[in-house]
Amino acid sequence: MVPEPTLNPTIDASHRRIDSTQWDDIFVVGDVHGCRGTLERLLDELDPSADDLVVFVGDLVRKGPDSKGVVDIVRERDNLVSVRGNNEQKLVDGRKTIDALTDEDLAFVESMPAIISWDDVLVAHGGVDHRKPLVEHSLTELLNNRSLVPDGSYDRPYWFETRREFPRVFFGHTVLAEPFVTDHAVGLDTGCVYGGQLTAYDYRNDELVVVEPPETYVSRSSDSIVEPRRAAPVQ
């Protein structure tokens, strides 16, 4: 039996453990950022039944044109779930607002766990620093991890390029020029709100599924879109 990851008890968002045997297939989806039309395209492509689970890596909201529509899609289907992203956290903290979201929507956002896990897999929006136990991670770290350099947001090494441990971590947050897939980390934020693709990972079949957005909603400089490397030195 695979042990459940242990979270820091001070984290104010729960860990949700899923029994994977209850689902025919499991899909993990990258950052949607309010791009409802692109999400609808992806769901049409995946065509999940009621016996399939769709797990989002967070950042359902903000930047794109229809955050309310994305939240509605995820709220209305019991087999769609999401971890909390840093953009959801901004709503929870009151640092950002989205006028279209109702009190019920905001309660749903606040209910999102920091981590969802099953088998030997963990989903966290930002990711995990392998240099310390999971129990020592703060909520802020789980939502924002990227660089292993203190205060070095886009300075290599990145945690996912150097990870050689299990559980395998599925993550978003870092906008990638292409999906990052290794035995130990899977990055799925391919920047759909910036004109990139919306990417999903088919867990049972070990396959990527991508769709193109109908348009680019936000511009982003190339120096904040990461070209992932798969052979970085172990730290």
Side-chain angles (χ1 to χ4, degrees), residues 64-89:
D66 193 359
S67 292
K68 167 67 174 171
V70 173
V71 171
D72 285 346
I73 288 172
V74 179
R75 278 189 64 194
E76 290 168 1
R77 296 174 64 172
D78 292 339
N79 62 330
L80 272 58
V81 297
S82 181
V83 297
R84 186 184 301 190
N86 62 299
N87 278 285
E88 281 82 29
Q89 190 62 41

PDB file of all heavy atoms in Angstrom, residues 64-89:
ATOM      1  N   GLY A  64      -7.911  35.100 -18.164  1.00  0.00           N
ATOM      2  CA  GLY A  64      -8.736  34.804 -19.328  1.00  0.00           C
ATOM      3  C   GLY A  64     -10.108  35.458 -19.245  1.00  0.00           C
ATOM      4  O   GLY A  64     -10.445  36.124 -18.261  1.00  0.00           O
ATOM      5  N   PRO A  65     -10.966  35.245 -20.269  1.00  0.00           N
ATOM      6  CA  PRO A  65     -12.208  36.012 -20.396  1.00  0.00           C
ATOM      7  C   PRO A  65     -13.378  35.532 -19.558  1.00  0.00           C
ATOM      8  O   PRO A  65     -14.350  36.270 -19.397  1.00  0.00           O
ATOM      9  CB  PRO A  65     -12.544  35.867 -21.889  1.00  0.00           C
ATOM     10  CG  PRO A  65     -11.959  34.540 -22.261  1.00  0.00           C
ATOM     11  CD  PRO A  65     -10.691  34.421 -21.458  1.00  0.00           C
ATOM     12  N   ASP A  66     -13.342  34.310 -19.028  1.00  0.00           N
ATOM     13  CA  ASP A  66     -14.558  33.781 -18.395  1.00  0.00           C
ATOM     14  C   ASP A  66     -14.226  32.875 -17.210  1.00  0.00           C
ATOM     15  O   ASP A  66     -14.477  31.670 -17.242  1.00  0.00           O
ATOM     16  CB  ASP A  66     -15.393  33.019 -19.429  1.00  0.00           C
ATOM     17  CG  ASP A  66     -16.811  32.715 -18.947  1.00  0.00           C
ATOM     18  OD1 ASP A  66     -17.144  33.072 -17.802  1.00  0.00           O
ATOM     19  OD2 ASP A  66     -17.575  32.096 -19.716  1.00  0.00           O
ATOM     20  N   SER A  67     -13.698  33.464 -16.148  1.00  0.00           N
ATOM     21  CA  SER A  67     -13.402  32.694 -14.936  1.00  0.00           C
ATOM     22  C   SER A  67     -14.667  32.086 -14.352  1.00  0.00           C
ATOM     23  O   SER A  67     -14.669  30.938 -13.888  1.00  0.00           O
ATOM     24  CB  SER A  67     -12.722  33.583 -13.891  1.00  0.00           C
ATOM     25  OG  SER A  67     -11.429  33.962 -14.309  1.00  0.00           O
ATOM     26  N   LYS A  68     -15.751  32.848 -14.365  1.00  0.00           N
ATOM     27  CA  LYS A  68     -17.021  32.350 -13.833  1.00  0.00           C
ATOM     28  C   LYS A  68     -17.461  31.096 -14.584  1.00  0.00           C
ATOM     29  O   LYS A  68     -17.904  30.108 -13.985  1.00  0.00           O
ATOM     30  CB  LYS A  68     -18.075  33.449 -13.952  1.00  0.00           C
ATOM     31  CG  LYS A  68     -19.527  33.008 -13.737  1.00  0.00           C
ATOM     32  CD  LYS A  68     -19.803  32.562 -12.317  1.00  0.00           C
ATOM     33  CE  LYS A  68     -21.295  32.280 -12.150  1.00  0.00           C
ATOM     34  NZ  LYS A  68     -21.587  31.635 -10.851  1.00  0.00           N
ATOM     35  N   GLY A  69     -17.336  31.108 -15.913  1.00  0.00           N
ATOM     36  CA  GLY A  69     -17.730  29.954 -16.704  1.00  0.00           C
ATOM     37  C   GLY A  69     -16.909  28.717 -16.402  1.00  0.00           C
ATOM     38  O   GLY A  69     -17.434  27.602 -16.349  1.00  0.00           O
ATOM     39  N   VAL A  70     -15.614  28.904 -16.180  1.00  0.00           N
ATOM     40  CA  VAL A  70     -14.748  27.766 -15.839  1.00  0.00           C
ATOM     41  C   VAL A  70     -15.122  27.203 -14.478  1.00  0.00           C
ATOM     42  O   VAL A  70     -15.236  25.983 -14.303  1.00  0.00           O
ATOM     43  CB  VAL A  70     -13.264  28.186 -15.870  1.00  0.00           C
ATOM     44  CG1 VAL A  70     -12.368  27.056 -15.335  1.00  0.00           C
ATOM     45  CG2 VAL A  70     -12.841  28.559 -17.288  1.00  0.00           C
ATOM     46  N   VAL A  71     -15.324  28.084 -13.495  1.00  0.00           N
ATOM     47  CA  VAL A  71     -15.719  27.628 -12.165  1.00  0.00           C
ATOM     48  C   VAL A  71     -17.051  26.885 -12.243  1.00  0.00           C
ATOM     49  O   VAL A  71     -17.233  25.838 -11.606  1.00  0.00           O
ATOM     50  CB  VAL A  71     -15.807  28.816 -11.181  1.00  0.00           C
ATOM     51  CG1 VAL A  71     -16.442  28.385  -9.858  1.00  0.00           C
ATOM     52  CG2 VAL A  71     -14.416  29.383 -10.926  1.00  0.00           C
ATOM     53  N   ASP A  72     -17.981  27.381 -13.031  1.00  0.00           N
ATOM     54  CA  ASP A  72     -19.277  26.706 -13.172  1.00  0.00           C
ATOM     55  C   ASP A  72     -19.101  25.285 -13.705  1.00  0.00           C
ATOM     56  O   ASP A  72     -19.734  24.343 -13.213  1.00  0.00           O
ATOM     57  CB  ASP A  72     -20.184  27.493 -14.121  1.00  0.00           C
ATOM     58  CG  ASP A  72     -20.751  28.757 -13.497  1.00  0.00           C
ATOM     59  OD1 ASP A  72     -20.667  28.903 -12.261  1.00  0.00           O
ATOM     60  OD2 ASP A  72     -21.277  29.595 -14.258  1.00  0.00           O
ATOM     61  N   ILE A  73     -18.261  25.121 -14.716  1.00  0.00           N
ATOM     62  CA  ILE A  73     -18.048  23.791 -15.302  1.00  0.00           C
ATOM     63  C   ILE A  73     -17.525  22.817 -14.256  1.00  0.00           C
ATOM     64  O   ILE A  73     -18.005  21.683 -14.136  1.00  0.00           O
ATOM     65  CB  ILE A  73     -17.079  23.871 -16.498  1.00  0.00           C
ATOM     66  CG1 ILE A  73     -17.763  24.545 -17.693  1.00  0.00           C
ATOM     67  CG2 ILE A  73     -16.584  22.480 -16.897  1.00  0.00           C
ATOM     68  CD1 ILE A  73     -16.827  24.840 -18.844  1.00  0.00           C
ATOM     69  N   VAL A  74     -16.549  23.251 -13.481  1.00  0.00           N
ATOM     70  CA  VAL A  74     -15.935  22.357 -12.493  1.00  0.00           C
ATOM     71  C   VAL A  74     -16.875  22.113 -11.322  1.00  0.00           C
ATOM     72  O   VAL A  74     -16.991  20.986 -10.820  1.00  0.00           O
ATOM     73  CB  VAL A  74     -14.587  22.929 -12.016  1.00  0.00           C
ATOM     74  CG1 VAL A  74     -13.953  22.016 -10.974  1.00  0.00           C
ATOM     75  CG2 VAL A  74     -13.641  23.111 -13.209  1.00  0.00           C
ATOM     76  N   ARG A  75     -17.604  23.138 -10.883  1.00  0.00           N
ATOM     77  CA  ARG A  75     -18.529  22.985  -9.756  1.00  0.00           C
ATOM     78  C   ARG A  75     -19.678  22.042 -10.074  1.00  0.00           C
ATOM     79  O   ARG A  75     -20.158  21.318  -9.192  1.00  0.00           O
ATOM     80  CB  ARG A  75     -19.130  24.345  -9.379  1.00  0.00           C
ATOM     81  CG  ARG A  75     -18.281  25.225  -8.493  1.00  0.00           C
ATOM     82  CD  ARG A  75     -19.077  26.424  -8.025  1.00  0.00           C
ATOM     83  NE  ARG A  75     -20.211  26.019  -7.184  1.00  0.00           N
ATOM     84  CZ  ARG A  75     -21.223  26.812  -6.844  1.00  0.00           C
ATOM     85  NH1 ARG A  75     -21.268  28.049  -7.298  1.00  0.00           N
ATOM     86  NH2 ARG A  75     -22.177  26.369  -6.077  1.00  0.00           N
ATOM     87  N   GLU A  76     -20.124  22.059 -11.326  1.00  0.00           N
ATOM     88  CA  GLU A  76     -21.362  21.360 -11.672  1.00  0.00           C
ATOM     89  C   GLU A  76     -21.178  19.866 -11.917  1.00  0.00           C
ATOM     90  O   GLU A  76     -22.172  19.147 -12.051  1.00  0.00           O
ATOM     91  CB  GLU A  76     -21.981  22.025 -12.909  1.00  0.00           C
ATOM     92  CG  GLU A  76     -22.539  23.417 -12.617  1.00  0.00           C
ATOM     93  CD  GLU A  76     -22.876  24.190 -13.874  1.00  0.00           C
ATOM     94  OE1 GLU A  76     -22.686  23.618 -14.985  1.00  0.00           O
ATOM     95  OE2 GLU A  76     -23.306  25.352 -13.760  1.00  0.00           O
ATOM     96  N   ARG A  77     -19.946  19.384 -11.960  1.00  0.00           N
ATOM     97  CA  ARG A  77     -19.721  17.969 -12.246  1.00  0.00           C
ATOM     98  C   ARG A  77     -18.924  17.333 -11.115  1.00  0.00           C
ATOM     99  O   ARG A  77     -17.823  17.789 -10.781  1.00  0.00           O
ATOM    100  CB  ARG A  77     -18.985  17.812 -13.585  1.00  0.00           C
ATOM    101  CG  ARG A  77     -19.827  18.320 -14.746  1.00  0.00           C
ATOM    102  CD  ARG A  77     -19.091  18.328 -16.062  1.00  0.00           C
ATOM    103  NE  ARG A  77     -18.706  17.000 -16.506  1.00  0.00           N
ATOM    104  CZ  ARG A  77     -18.179  16.755 -17.718  1.00  0.00           C
ATOM    105  NH1 ARG A  77     -18.017  17.748 -18.583  1.00  0.00           N
ATOM    106  NH2 ARG A  77     -17.844  15.524 -18.053  1.00  0.00           N
ATOM    107  N   ASP A  78     -19.465  16.295 -10.518  1.00  0.00           N
ATOM    108  CA  ASP A  78     -18.834  15.655  -9.365  1.00  0.00           C
ATOM    109  C   ASP A  78     -17.506  15.005  -9.698  1.00  0.00           C
ATOM    110  O   ASP A  78     -16.687  14.768  -8.804  1.00  0.00           O
ATOM    111  CB  ASP A  78     -19.774  14.595  -8.773  1.00  0.00           C
ATOM    112  CG  ASP A  78     -21.006  15.195  -8.123  1.00  0.00           C
ATOM    113  OD1 ASP A  78     -20.961  16.390  -7.764  1.00  0.00           O
ATOM    114  OD2 ASP A  78     -22.016  14.474  -7.984  1.00  0.00           O
ATOM    115  N   ASN A  79     -17.272  14.697 -10.963  1.00  0.00           N
ATOM    116  CA  ASN A  79     -16.030  14.024 -11.351  1.00  0.00           C
ATOM    117  C   ASN A  79     -14.974  14.996 -11.870  1.00  0.00           C
ATOM    118  O   ASN A  79     -13.974  14.585 -12.461  1.00  0.00           O
ATOM    119  CB  ASN A  79     -16.306  12.946 -12.402  1.00  0.00           C
ATOM    120  CG  ASN A  79     -16.890  13.493 -13.688  1.00  0.00           C
ATOM    121  OD1 ASN A  79     -17.590  14.502 -13.681  1.00  0.00           O
ATOM    122  ND2 ASN A  79     -16.606  12.829 -14.808  1.00  0.00           N
ATOM    123  N   LEU A  80     -15.175  16.299 -11.639  1.00  0.00           N
ATOM    124  CA  LEU A  80     -14.170  17.316 -11.926  1.00  0.00           C
ATOM    125  C   LEU A  80     -13.736  17.941 -10.599  1.00  0.00           C
ATOM    126  O   LEU A  80     -14.583  18.430  -9.833  1.00  0.00           O
ATOM    127  CB  LEU A  80     -14.722  18.399 -12.857  1.00  0.00           C
ATOM    128  CG  LEU A  80     -14.600  18.161 -14.367  1.00  0.00           C
ATOM    129  CD1 LEU A  80     -15.277  16.889 -14.802  1.00  0.00           C
ATOM    130  CD2 LEU A  80     -15.152  19.371 -15.138  1.00  0.00           C
ATOM    131  N   VAL A  81     -12.436  17.918 -10.313  1.00  0.00           N
ATOM    132  CA  VAL A  81     -11.907  18.452  -9.058  1.00  0.00           C
ATOM    133  C   VAL A  81     -10.633  19.241  -9.352  1.00  0.00           C
ATOM    134  O   VAL A  81      -9.993  19.040 -10.384  1.00  0.00           O
ATOM    135  CB  VAL A  81     -11.610  17.331  -8.036  1.00  0.00           C
ATOM    136  CG1 VAL A  81     -12.883  16.594  -7.650  1.00  0.00           C
ATOM    137  CG2 VAL A  81     -10.572  16.358  -8.578  1.00  0.00           C
ATOM    138  N   SER A  82     -10.261  20.115  -8.439  1.00  0.00           N
ATOM    139  CA  SER A  82      -9.066  20.932  -8.653  1.00  0.00           C
ATOM    140  C   SER A  82      -8.346  21.183  -7.343  1.00  0.00           C
ATOM    141  O   SER A  82      -8.976  21.347  -6.290  1.00  0.00           O
ATOM    142  CB  SER A  82      -9.443  22.280  -9.285  1.00  0.00           C
ATOM    143  OG  SER A  82      -8.290  23.083  -9.514  1.00  0.00           O
ATOM    144  N   VAL A  83      -7.015  21.233  -7.415  1.00  0.00           N
ATOM    145  CA  VAL A  83      -6.247  21.775  -6.302  1.00  0.00           C
ATOM    146  C   VAL A  83      -6.299  23.299  -6.387  1.00  0.00           C
ATOM    147  O   VAL A  83      -6.709  23.873  -7.401  1.00  0.00           O
ATOM    148  CB  VAL A  83      -4.773  21.295  -6.309  1.00  0.00           C
ATOM    149  CG1 VAL A  83      -4.680  19.796  -6.145  1.00  0.00           C
ATOM    150  CG2 VAL A  83      -4.034  21.759  -7.559  1.00  0.00           C
ATOM    151  N   ARG A  84      -5.880  23.935  -5.332  1.00  0.00           N
ATOM    152  CA  ARG A  84      -5.860  25.393  -5.283  1.00  0.00           C
ATOM    153  C   ARG A  84      -4.579  25.897  -5.943  1.00  0.00           C
ATOM    154  O   ARG A  84      -3.488  25.399  -5.689  1.00  0.00           O
ATOM    155  CB  ARG A  84      -5.915  25.868  -3.833  1.00  0.00           C
ATOM    156  CG  ARG A  84      -6.055  27.370  -3.677  1.00  0.00           C
ATOM    157  CD  ARG A  84      -6.008  27.800  -2.223  1.00  0.00           C
ATOM    158  NE  ARG A  84      -7.052  27.193  -1.405  1.00  0.00           N
ATOM    159  CZ  ARG A  84      -7.325  27.558  -0.157  1.00  0.00           C
ATOM    160  NH1 ARG A  84      -6.613  28.529   0.419  1.00  0.00           N
ATOM    161  NH2 ARG A  84      -8.274  26.967   0.529  1.00  0.00           N
ATOM    162  N   GLY A  85      -4.723  26.909  -6.809  1.00  0.00           N
ATOM    163  CA  GLY A  85      -3.568  27.565  -7.400  1.00  0.00           C
ATOM    164  C   GLY A  85      -3.287  28.891  -6.734  1.00  0.00           C
ATOM    165  O   GLY A  85      -4.069  29.373  -5.906  1.00  0.00           O
ATOM    166  N   ASN A  86      -2.188  29.522  -7.101  1.00  0.00           N
ATOM    167  CA  ASN A  86      -1.862  30.811  -6.498  1.00  0.00           C
ATOM    168  C   ASN A  86      -2.894  31.876  -6.867  1.00  0.00           C
ATOM    169  O   ASN A  86      -3.135  32.813  -6.102  1.00  0.00           O
ATOM    170  CB  ASN A  86      -0.455  31.257  -6.897  1.00  0.00           C
ATOM    171  CG  ASN A  86      -0.289  31.472  -8.384  1.00  0.00           C
ATOM    172  OD1 ASN A  86      -0.450  30.541  -9.173  1.00  0.00           O
ATOM    173  ND2 ASN A  86       0.051  32.681  -8.785  1.00  0.00           N
ATOM    174  N   ASN A  87      -3.561  31.724  -8.025  1.00  0.00           N
ATOM    175  CA  ASN A  87      -4.593  32.705  -8.376  1.00  0.00           C
ATOM    176  C   ASN A  87      -5.878  32.490  -7.596  1.00  0.00           C
ATOM    177  O   ASN A  87      -6.590  33.452  -7.294  1.00  0.00           O
ATOM    178  CB  ASN A  87      -4.836  32.685  -9.883  1.00  0.00           C
ATOM    179  CG  ASN A  87      -3.790  33.509 -10.616  1.00  0.00           C
ATOM    180  OD1 ASN A  87      -3.825  34.729 -10.602  1.00  0.00           O
ATOM    181  ND2 ASN A  87      -2.836  32.827 -11.246  1.00  0.00           N
ATOM    182  N   GLU A  88      -6.204  31.255  -7.254  1.00  0.00           N
ATOM    183  CA  GLU A  88      -7.307  31.026  -6.313  1.00  0.00           C
ATOM    184  C   GLU A  88      -6.966  31.602  -4.939  1.00  0.00           C
ATOM    185  O   GLU A  88      -7.817  32.204  -4.272  1.00  0.00           O
ATOM    186  CB  GLU A  88      -7.616  29.532  -6.192  1.00  0.00           C
ATOM    187  CG  GLU A  88      -8.442  28.942  -7.308  1.00  0.00           C
ATOM    188  CD  GLU A  88      -7.634  28.579  -8.535  1.00  0.00           C
ATOM    189  OE1 GLU A  88      -6.431  28.266  -8.377  1.00  0.00           O
ATOM    190  OE2 GLU A  88      -8.180  28.607  -9.646  1.00  0.00           O
ATOM    191  N   GLN A  89      -5.709  31.448  -4.526  1.00  0.00           N
ATOM    192  CA  GLN A  89      -5.299  31.951  -3.222  1.00  0.00           C
ATOM    193  C   GLN A  89      -5.437  33.470  -3.145  1.00  0.00           C
ATOM    194  O   GLN A  89      -5.782  34.022  -2.097  1.00  0.00           O
ATOM    195  CB  GLN A  89      -3.861  31.528  -2.906  1.00  0.00           C
ATOM    196  CG  GLN A  89      -3.443  31.794  -1.468  1.00  0.00           C
ATOM    197  CD  GLN A  89      -4.281  31.017  -0.465  1.00  0.00           C
ATOM    198  OE1 GLN A  89      -4.593  29.851  -0.692  1.00  0.00           O
ATOM    199  NE2 GLN A  89      -4.640  31.663   0.637  1.00  0.00           N
TER     200      GLN A  89
END
